[in-house]
Amino acid sequence: MFDAAVFGSLFLTLFVIMDPPGITPIFLALTSGRPGKVQKRMALQAVCVAGGVIAVFGLLGHRILDYLHVSVPALMIAGGLLLLLIALDLLTGKTDEPKQTKDVNVALVPLGMPLLAGPGAIVSVILAVQKADSVATQVSVWSAIVAIHVVLWLVMRYSLLIIRVIKDGGVVLVTRLAGMMLSAIAVQQIINGVTQVIQGA
């Protein structure tokens, strides 16, 4: 009752999109000056917000598409283009890091959404749920979603320790590698969408 290939594919896609190593310096910047206990609580809050948003779109995504009369191939192409833009940002390092605001709970916005539960992650989850046509694949898809959120929580919770180990250079290296992998996934998703359009014509 478990499809390892589906799990691995979605987990890897969400990993490069949500970028746990890359979110570490952003999380530290947004929560700097706060006690350790508060930082840990904010890490949990951010993951819960992101998980809630992803779950809603995973469960209701197909209904939203039907209501808007948007086909899955169109969503695949649009999602691929969106992922490609994110990948280019990761590769070039042109990500805009939000500034800390003490008057706002940054665990909700911008950490929970849109940094973690951004458009790329939402599109990927909608497509994965759409393709899951059996109990095994459904279990695999939702297991991958839960797993990536656990990883995100662990990374942010222990971010101070991680940043000491891999240093700033390590974060940059991992972010660039994630950008390369995400760009390949994005191009493949566009190709799959165009292929489905041609086959359905």
Side-chain angles (χ1 to χ4, degrees):
M1 299 293 289
F2 187 82
D3 192 324
V6 171
F7 174 88
S9 176
L10 180 58
F11 181 85
L12 179 60
T13 301
L14 291 177
F15 186 90
V16 296
I17 294 173
M18 302 175 94
D19 190 20
I23 203 68
T24 300
I26 299 175
F27 174 76
L28 291 174
L30 290 171
T31 61
S32 63
R34 293 179 170 90
K37 289 183 178 180
V38 174
Q39 285 185 321
K40 292 176 182 178
R41 185 173 71 246
M42 293 180 76
L44 180 60
Q45 289 175 339
V47 169
C48 288
V49 169
V53 172
I54 293 292
V56 168
F57 277 94
L59 293 171
L60 303 177
H62 65 286
R63 296 180 185 176
I64 296 173
L65 292 181
D66 291 341
Y67 178 77
L68 296 175
H69 303 290
V70 175
S71 66
V72 173
L75 186 64
M76 291 177 68
I77 296 172
L81 292 172
L82 182 61
L83 296 183
L84 190 57
L85 290 176
I86 297 173
L88 292 175
D89 282 341
L90 292 175
L91 285 169
T92 58
K94 293 181 180 179
T95 52
D96 295 326
E97 297 185 8
K99 296 179 180 179
Q100 179 191 12
T101 306
K102 289 185 179 293
D103 298 332
V104 178
N105 187 352
V106 295
L108 307 180
V109 177
L111 268 177
M113 185 177 182
L115 285 179
L116 295 181
I122 290 172
V123 168
S124 298
V125 168
I126 290 176
L127 292 175
V129 173
Q130 283 271 353
K131 293 177 183 177
D133 53 3
S134 67
V135 175
T137 51
Q138 283 282 353
V139 170
S140 303
V141 165
W142 288 103
S143 296
I145 293 171
V146 171
I148 189 61
H149 283 84
V150 170
V151 170
L152 285 166
W153 174 71
L154 290 172
V155 167
M156 287 190 292
R157 189 181 191 281
Y158 297 102
S159 56
L160 292 174
L161 177 61
I162 293 173
I163 205 72
R164 288 194 197 114
V165 173
I166 66 175
K167 309 292 184 185
D168 291 340
V171 173
V172 171
L173 176 61
V174 173
T175 301
R176 297 296 185 271
L177 290 174
M180 289 181 59
M181 296 173 67
L182 183 57
S183 62
I185 292 173
V187 171
Q188 185 62 55
Q189 189 162 301
I190 294 172
I191 292 173
N192 293 343
V194 171
T195 302
Q196 289 192 24
V197 170
I198 295 175
Q199 290 176 345

